[in-house]
Amino acid sequence: MRRTCLAAILAAFHAGAALAAPPDFKTSFDLRLRYEGFDTPSRSTALDRSYGFSLARARFGLDAVWPKWKLRGLVQAAGVVGLPHDGAFAAGPNYMAANGGDDDPSEIGIAELSATYTSGEFRTTLGRQPYVDGNEVPTGIAYLDGIKKRLLSDRLIGVFEWPNVGRRFDGASLAYGQGGFDLSGFALRPLTGAFDHRDAFEEIDGVSVYGLTLTGKHGAWIPASELRLFAIQYR
């Protein structure tokens, strides 16, 4: 983590004159409160088939934006209260197993810390970042983009936002688009998260993922259609 985040900061500050002017600052805040209740199937009378628990997640983000550079930081605090020790099924046992049996796990940590450089149709991001495959290029048509978001994106590589912690990655991503095509790629290390609060945003040792996607934009290669060719390798 330290190496990747430090590289992101150094990459931006080594830009020199490009960052000489004062940046525009943008802040964001997101709060999610949720209660989950389950009535689950189980043949064992020793397990709790009906249970519920409460979740909370808060995110505060700060962006420093220049004409071609953006530095982004995002802090996340999340917690769960009232997890069942003998939940029969569904999310309760997942949270318990991921947090070592703690029925009230919580965390606060750096979810994102990255530097992004944009010049014309080229963009690259270095550091801790979200990444979602399958929706690299919006079509600009609300109906089709809604289908892509619901059915295609966040399936193979994604941020897994339904659990309380979510997922982030350390590494680099880039994209270049011109005319009717867009080429994007990434080399990332996934971080712990999803159901795991206690070790959130720690690197998963020995796991890396690489990908390359070529997109023929909507209507550019095939009338009224979009073509996406991709390759993803897990190591």
Side-chain angles (χ1 to χ4, degrees):
M1 169 191 171
R2 295 188 183 93
R3 294 193 300 270
T4 304
C5 293
L6 180 59
I9 296 172
L10 291 178
F13 279 99
H14 282 169
L19 303 181
D24 293 327
F25 289 99
K26 299 180 180 180
T27 61
S28 62
F29 179 75
D30 175 76
L31 176 64
R32 188 175 81 176
L33 304 175
R34 188 166 73 191
Y35 175 81
E36 297 182 13
F38 296 92
D39 186 6
T40 68
S42 176
R43 295 181 178 178
S44 174
T45 58
L47 298 178
D48 188 356
R49 294 187 299 173
S50 299
Y51 62 86
F53 51 87
S54 301
L55 309 98
R57 186 181 74 190
R59 290 173 172 171
F60 176 76
L62 177 64
D63 296 347
V65 182
W66 288 266
K68 291 187 176 183
W69 286 91
K70 180 175 79 172
L71 297 180
R72 174 166 176 79
L74 181 72
V75 175
Q76 173 175 295
V80 185
V81 177
L83 289 174
H85 283 272
D86 298 310
F89 191 65
N94 288 339
Y95 279 109
M96 289 293 289
N99 293 282
D102 186 354
D103 57 3
D104 297 312
S106 61
E107 61 83 22
I108 182 169
I110 299 175
E112 298 177 24
L113 186 59
S114 63
T116 299
Y117 174 77
T118 304
S119 179
E121 300 298 325
F122 174 78
R123 183 184 73 257
T124 184
T125 300
L126 176 65
R128 177 158 298 179
Q129 59 188 285
Y131 193 90
V132 175
D133 85 309
N135 195 23
E136 292 84 0
V137 185
T139 65
I141 303 172
Y143 173 72
L144 294 179
D145 288 338
I147 292 177
K148 290 177 67 174
K149 184 176 181 180
R150 292 192 303 271
L151 302 180
L152 299 179
S153 67
D154 206 8
R155 291 297 184 266
L156 299 178
I157 307 295
V159 291
F160 201 24
E161 287 290 85
W162 181 78
N164 206 38
V165 180
R167 175 84 67 198
R168 292 297 185 270
F169 303 87
D170 283 347
S173 61
L174 57 87
Y176 177 77
Q178 189 175 32
F181 81 94
D182 182 272
L183 181 66
S184 60
F186 59 85
L188 301 168
R189 302 199 71 177
L191 307 178
T192 55
F195 298 93
D196 188 350
H197 291 70
R198 300 198 309 172
D199 301 313
F201 309 123
E202 296 294 330
E203 283 191 353
I204 302 175
D205 292 337
V207 179
S208 300
V209 60
Y210 310 91
L212 189 66
T213 299
L214 175 64
T215 303
K217 296 181 181 179
H218 183 262
W221 295 359
I222 304 175
S225 302
E226 178 182 276
L227 177 66
R228 177 174 178 261
L229 304 173
F230 67 93
I232 295 174
Q233 179 181 358
Y234 296 87
R235 179 181 176 187

